[in-house]
Amino acid sequence: MWRDSFRLQIFCLLLAILAIVVLVHNFLQLEHLDDATVSGSNWITANNDRQTLSRTTGIARKLYCGYERQRLSKREQAEEESLLAALLWPKPPDDEIPFIQSTDPAHSDFVIVKPGVLFKVGDQLEVLVRMKDFRGKPKQYGGDYLQARIHSPLLKAGAVGKVVDCHNGFYKVFFTLLWPGEVKVSVSLVHPSEAIQVLLRLREERPDRVYFKSSFKSGRFSETTECNVCLPGDLPVCNFTDLYTGEPWFCYKPRKLSCASRISHAKGGYQKGLLTQEESLFFQSDVNIKMPIFPSGPDAVTVKPKAFADSSAMDIAEDPNVSPSGYYYQDQWRPRTRRIHHFNESEDVTKCLQGKVIHLFGDSTIRQWFEYLTAFVPDLVEFNLGSPKNVGPFMAVDLKRNILLRFRCHGPPIRFTTVFSSELRYIANELNGIVGGRNTVIAITIWSHFSTFPVEVYIRRLRNIRRSIIQLLDRSPRTVIVIRTANVQELGPEVSLFNSDWYSYQLDSVMRKMFSGIAVHFVDAWEMSLAHHLPHNLHPNEIIVKNQIDAFLSYVCPLQT
């Protein structure tokens, strides 16, 4: 009996020792895990050597992100393939072009085709651009990214041109002459073709070049880990994929805290050392980033008024795909597809918005609309929700006229300083919670924070938003929905790697195609920022925002014809 009891005690003691050993081992493993999590991760790891080719670029892409493994219907698959095919960009003949053979805007020039012709309002103006390298030799291939506009400084008038790549070092630019007087031509090289190939590589190989973090807290304990659309390696992760949209989002699991203890999301920072020394030469301020190309002859033409035409109706076209979509005259935007009302008095705005609920969803460029309206309309008073500055959500009310204005940022990825986890909402889900109707107005913009990811990530986000829009319009067809497009911005060597106009242009092209054919309206912020005489800015000047608001409100309260 005593022996049996002794054996039992020995057995229990051995179990206890074994349990302690296992506990210590797990603790040491946890310590090691914490060190790896806090220091951040390397996206290109030895465990992730398998690759696939991007359908957009042919560039090798790591498999861990699953961009190629979305479950799509046949229709969605066909649409995605069509969208990606439309984005294909001309490549240089060789993978590695020396800097001296790359495009030099200083040696390049443009000429106005038939500058002596008598031009009238409504005529087409053609410009031929000839690209040369730093040796002064003509380029034999295309792929440069150009921006072009016509303008009349004294009239504060401007419009964008359509650039056509001839794939042989020449580019044609077509302008529609939309106002009388002296009209000047401006052409700029945004990026040489050699730089575009670097941007393509970064988009496919380094979607981590902007990284994110989340804070976890429980009582007096707190931890911070790295987050992104996808995370490599075998470290444990918290899966924050949205249950309704399937939008993926992951964070490395904290060492001691649970995934449920996440309290905030924030931008972590920007990766450095992304370029080789040779590649960095393609991204130089005052050399080959947004540099003017000068004319080799006249840079202006004189445009005569169109005879026997009603000037008030002359700029209205029937084609909804007309290019350009509009132009500035006396600093006022004039769309070519519809009439616009200029809301120059705050009373005009309140009269238009009376009895309405306005939802603004997106990034800081549509937050500018909230800031403009609350500053311009005295009775539209912001209600303090205790939200972080520049992050939101924000709300303003006019109790007398029954106006409610809301702003909410879109879900991750978003590069804001700190967003409470409880406020991370996907636009599609927010739209599903809106009843809609004739007194409901919705404005959406989403583009800038997706520029570092392969295009499939953006397509998936738009697909979810579009599905929710269609469902909302099906149950409440009188709901007004407006899409604000992307806009151009100031670029330097570093910004170009994360938010180049070329990235924005590609995403904007996808957005316009995906939302065409459904009952939404567009505010063409792209042309409105490019055609204006003010310097480019991610957050356009107030006069440009004012014109955006005029275009927006003209959809809410269209002029009676």
Side-chain angles (χ1 to χ4, degrees), residues 320 325 333 335-343 352-353 356 369 438 440-443 478-485 512 519-525 528 547-560:
S325 66
W333 182 251
R336 299 180 65 211
T337 58
R338 61 191 175 90
R339 297 194 180 278
I340 192 173
H341 175 52
H342 297 286
F343 294 79
C352 173
L353 297 181
K356 289 181 169 51
W369 289 15
R438 63 184 181 88
T440 300
V441 180
I442 297 168
R478 298 184 68 181
T479 306
V480 177
I481 301 179
V482 178
I483 308 294
R484 180 204 184 276
T485 73
R512 291 172 190 257
V520 298
H521 308 287
F522 292 93
V523 170
D524 199 336
M528 295 171 82
N547 278 287
Q548 293 173 6
I549 292 293
D550 286 347
F552 166 57
L553 295 179
S554 293
Y555 287 122
V556 180
C557 306
L559 285 173
Q560 301 299 319

Side-chain angles (χ1 to χ4, degrees), residues 360-377:
L360 307 178
F361 295 117
D363 56 32
S364 56
T365 61
I366 207 166
R367 188 189 68 221
Q368 285 188 283
W369 289 15
F370 182 93
E371 294 165 347
Y372 176 88
L373 288 170
T374 52
F376 185 65
V377 181

Side-chain angles (χ1 to χ4, degrees), residues 497-556:
L497 307 184
F498 305 101
N499 260 59
S500 167
D501 279 357
W502 183 81
Y503 287 137
S504 302
Y505 173 72
Q506 291 232 309
L507 296 183
D508 196 58
S509 299
V510 168
M511 183 275 296
R512 291 172 190 257
K513 287 183 174 68
M514 290 189 70
F515 285 105
S516 64
I518 60 177
V520 298
H521 308 287
F522 292 93
V523 170
D524 199 336
W526 185 269
E527 289 197 13
M528 295 171 82
S529 57
L530 182 55
H532 202 271
H533 59 83
L534 286 173
H536 297 171
N537 196 319
L538 175 61
H539 300 107
N541 183 275
E542 183 176 328
I543 185 60
I544 300 177
V545 175
K546 194 267 182 195
N547 278 287
Q548 293 173 6
I549 292 293
D550 286 347
F552 166 57
L553 295 179
S554 293
Y555 287 122
V556 180

Side-chain angles (χ1 to χ4, degrees), residues 20-39:
I20 291 173
V21 170
V22 171
L23 185 64
V24 170
H25 174 74
N26 288 343
F27 181 78
L28 292 175
Q29 290 292 101
L30 207 57
E31 292 266 60
H32 174 72
L33 172 62
D34 184 51
D35 290 339
T37 301
V38 171
S39 63

Side-chain angles (χ1 to χ4, degrees), residues 137-244:
K137 293 186 176 182
K139 295 289 291 288
Q140 302 298 321
Y141 55 89
D144 300 301
Y145 177 42
L146 306 179
Q147 291 174 348
R149 70 185 185 103
I150 50 174
H151 55 107
S152 297
L154 294 179
L155 298 174
K156 295 184 178 180
V160 305
K162 181 179 180 180
V163 180
V164 177
D165 190 344
C166 299
H167 304 286
N168 58 2
F170 286 84
Y171 298 80
K172 293 181 179 180
V173 187
F174 297 95
F175 300 96
T176 301
L177 300 171
L178 296 166
W179 63 88
E182 185 184 56
V183 177
K184 294 185 176 182
V185 175
S186 293
V187 180
S188 296
L189 174 71
V190 182
H191 294 300
S193 56
E194 296 77 16
I196 297 296
Q197 299 310 305
V198 178
L199 296 179
L200 280 166
R201 178 184 67 78
L202 291 177
R203 189 169 67 186
E204 303 300 339
E205 295 181 357
R206 296 302 305 268
D208 65 324
R209 60 194 186 280
V210 175
Y211 56 96
F212 306 86
K213 61 184 180 180
S214 271
S215 295
F216 299 78
K217 186 176 182 181
S218 180
R220 56 191 181 89
F221 295 101
S222 63
E223 298 180 60
T224 299
T225 70
E226 185 179 340
C227 308
N228 221 313
V229 170
C230 53
L231 295 169
D234 299 323
L235 296 177
V237 298
C238 295
N239 186 350
F240 295 115
T241 297
D242 185 68
L243 296 177
Y244 299 97

